[in-house]
Amino acid sequence: MKFVYQTKIAGMLEPPARDTYRIGAMKLAALCPDRTFFKGSFIKDPFRETLGLLSRAGANALERSGGSAVAPAKNPEAAYAVLFAKEIERFDLILSKKNFTDEAEDLQGGFDEDPFLVKKLLRDDAEMPENAEKIENEALYEGSASDYIFSRDVLYLGSETCEEDVLAIIAGDLIRNHSQKIYLELPPERSDTLEDYVAAANSLGGDVTVQDSCLIKVNGEKSLIGGSTILPGSDWNIVVPALCCSAIGFDVVVKNTFVGSPFARKKEFIDMMSAMKLIYVEDEDGNAFFKNASNKVPARFDAKACGASLPYILFVATQTDGVTEFYNIDEEVIEGYNRSFYYTVVELKKLGVEFTSRCKGSMFVIGKNTFDGGIRIDCHNNYDATAVAVLSTLCSKKANVLENCDVADWVCPDFWRLYKTIGGFAE
């Protein structure tokens, strides 16, 4: 529970950097044919180990005026073996038994020809020695685990797999121009880290997609090319509510935003906000804000096209003079993103916002510039609902009590600290 007070905020807010995105890009840049440029410096604690790996792999990390660069290694295959040596050692441990079960099903017609293989595949687990899994794997593929992995069009990885293992496999696929579907036995423990690694691969010319929490597809027809400029990746979980501060009239500038980064919610947030006549401004260093807040106007929005930014666009709509419509509201929108939209509507109603509807799937928001406040807002353990509750308190006459808002601490551990850096007050 948090007591959040109505205060006047202003200043520069710096969202957390997605350092694992740059680490992934640094490693992959060493495997590219051309030099890759990075906005910003490599002189930062999280990059030390990676810089050492680059040096041992024969690549050069260079500090330049206004940024840095990675000059690739001359031999990508040899560099790969150095950069991902730890992960390659684990390859035989992360292979799922499903890889070999599938092969056993394919070989059922030939069992009589190889009774030794039948015994290996079908013997009871109780009869196996302690190192049975390793023995079994060695019997089921020739050569190294690495050779086996990159010979598969469909690969199954076991529960011991970590995000760094997946990056190593993606990198190996891309330098071999090998297409592959990678199935994870369990969803990644750090989904944001996997997202960072996939974004890094795509920023350097690859074509890697996360189909769902347990399936990654690598398109081997797209090679790593480098030669591009890698922008800092900021946490847009913080960028979006921070930009909303300027959208409702506060003098807040968000540092290192860079709408050109792969994490920027440009179409679903910035472009949508421009429909309200808000003007997005960003300088060459990525410092950004909205201007024209006092003249923003109601608009009409496709709820599905708003994506994860829908709760914030809905909130900013309450700060206009007039009626804003959201259409194409279906079950997917209502249930999506941990019910962010649904909870935002419920709690804004408590603050006095009026919602009306004339037909199914459409909702009108009646602008209400100032809330009375002084209420208890249930954030439903939803990060977006929590952020909107804080923004709503800035537009309230009295402080509000936020309940079930601990989610902010694990989605963005710096959330409350950053809020206080621009004059916010919560206890």
Side-chain angles (χ1 to χ4, degrees), residues 230-341:
I230 303 298
L231 297 171
S234 292
D235 187 347
W236 275 67
N237 285 317
I238 283 289
V239 172
V240 170
L243 285 175
C244 283
C245 293
S246 60
I248 59 177
F250 291 99
D251 186 16
V252 174
V253 177
V254 192
K255 296 180 69 175
N256 295 322
T257 302
F258 293 109
V259 293
S261 84
F263 307 103
R265 300 184 195 172
K266 188 174 188 300
K267 289 187 178 297
E268 70 172 46
F269 179 66
I270 293 174
D271 290 355
M272 290 288 180
M273 296 287 267
S274 68
M276 295 186 192
K277 306 301 182 187
L278 286 160
I279 301 170
Y280 178 77
V281 179
E282 177 186 310
D283 66 18
E284 63 179 11
D285 294 320
N287 300 320
F289 59 92
F290 282 115
K291 67 178 184 179
N292 203 41
S294 60
N295 296 312
K296 60 182 175 290
V297 299
R300 189 169 183 264
F301 296 102
D302 180 343
K304 278 193 172 181
C306 293
S309 299
L310 179 57
Y312 302 97
I313 297 169
L314 176 66
F315 161 72
V316 175
T318 69
Q319 301 303 296
T320 62
D321 293 323
V323 180
T324 296
E325 181 186 5
F326 291 87
Y327 64 94
N328 207 11
I329 301 171
D330 59 11
E331 195 69 21
E332 181 182 349
V333 169
I334 294 170
E335 296 295 329
Y337 304 101
N338 194 23
R339 309 196 83 192
S340 295
F341 172 70

Side-chain angles (χ1 to χ4, degrees), residues 26-97:
M26 289 164 70
K27 288 183 177 180
L28 295 174
L31 308 176
C32 292
D34 297 316
R35 178 176 296 190
T36 299
F37 301 94
F38 289 74
K39 185 80 172 178
S41 174
F42 288 149
I43 303 175
K44 195 175 179 182
D45 284 345
F47 303 148
R48 284 185 180 179
E49 182 180 354
T50 305
L51 290 171
L53 284 172
L54 291 176
S55 178
R56 292 196 294 276
N60 290 319
L62 311 169
E63 287 293 324
R64 309 169 62 249
S65 176
S68 47
V70 170
K74 293 181 179 179
N75 186 332
E77 288 279 356
Y80 173 80
V82 174
L83 290 168
F84 297 100
K86 289 182 180 179
E87 291 78 16
I88 292 170
E89 286 182 4
R90 287 170 41 82
F91 277 176
D92 63 326
L93 302 176
I94 64 173
L95 286 169
S96 168
K97 290 182 179 179

Side-chain angles (χ1 to χ4, degrees), residues 145-302:
S146 182
D147 293 335
Y148 177 79
I149 282 174
F150 297 117
S151 70
R152 301 275 296 181
D153 294 333
V154 179
L155 180 69
Y156 298 94
L157 299 179
S159 59
E160 298 298 318
T161 307
C162 67
E163 292 74 20
E164 286 69 29
D165 299 327
V166 177
L167 174 62
I169 293 171
I170 289 172
D173 283 332
L174 291 174
I175 65 172
R176 292 171 173 80
N177 295 112
H178 178 231
S179 295
Q180 191 172 60
K181 291 182 180 179
I182 304 169
Y183 287 92
L184 304 179
E185 192 170 288
L186 295 175
E189 184 176 347
R190 295 169 292 152
S191 58
D192 56 340
T193 297
L194 182 58
E195 181 186 4
D196 289 345
Y197 290 155
V198 169
N202 292 336
S203 295
L204 288 161
D207 181 9
V208 183
T209 55
V210 180
Q211 297 292 104
D212 57 41
S213 60
C214 293
L215 171 60
I216 300 106
K217 288 186 178 180
V218 182
N219 179 4
E221 295 181 4
K222 292 290 187 76
S223 302
L224 293 171
I225 55 176
S228 56
T229 297
I230 303 298
L231 297 171
S234 292
D235 187 347
W236 275 67
N237 285 317
I238 283 289
V239 172
V240 170
L243 285 175
C244 283
C245 293
S246 60
I248 59 177
F250 291 99
D251 186 16
V252 174
V253 177
V254 192
K255 296 180 69 175
N256 295 322
T257 302
F258 293 109
V259 293
S261 84
F263 307 103
R265 300 184 195 172
K266 188 174 188 300
K267 289 187 178 297
E268 70 172 46
F269 179 66
I270 293 174
D271 290 355
M272 290 288 180
M273 296 287 267
S274 68
M276 295 186 192
K277 306 301 182 187
L278 286 160
I279 301 170
Y280 178 77
V281 179
E282 177 186 310
D283 66 18
E284 63 179 11
D285 294 320
N287 300 320
F289 59 92
F290 282 115
K291 67 178 184 179
N292 203 41
S294 60
N295 296 312
K296 60 182 175 290
V297 299
R300 189 169 183 264
F301 296 102
D302 180 343

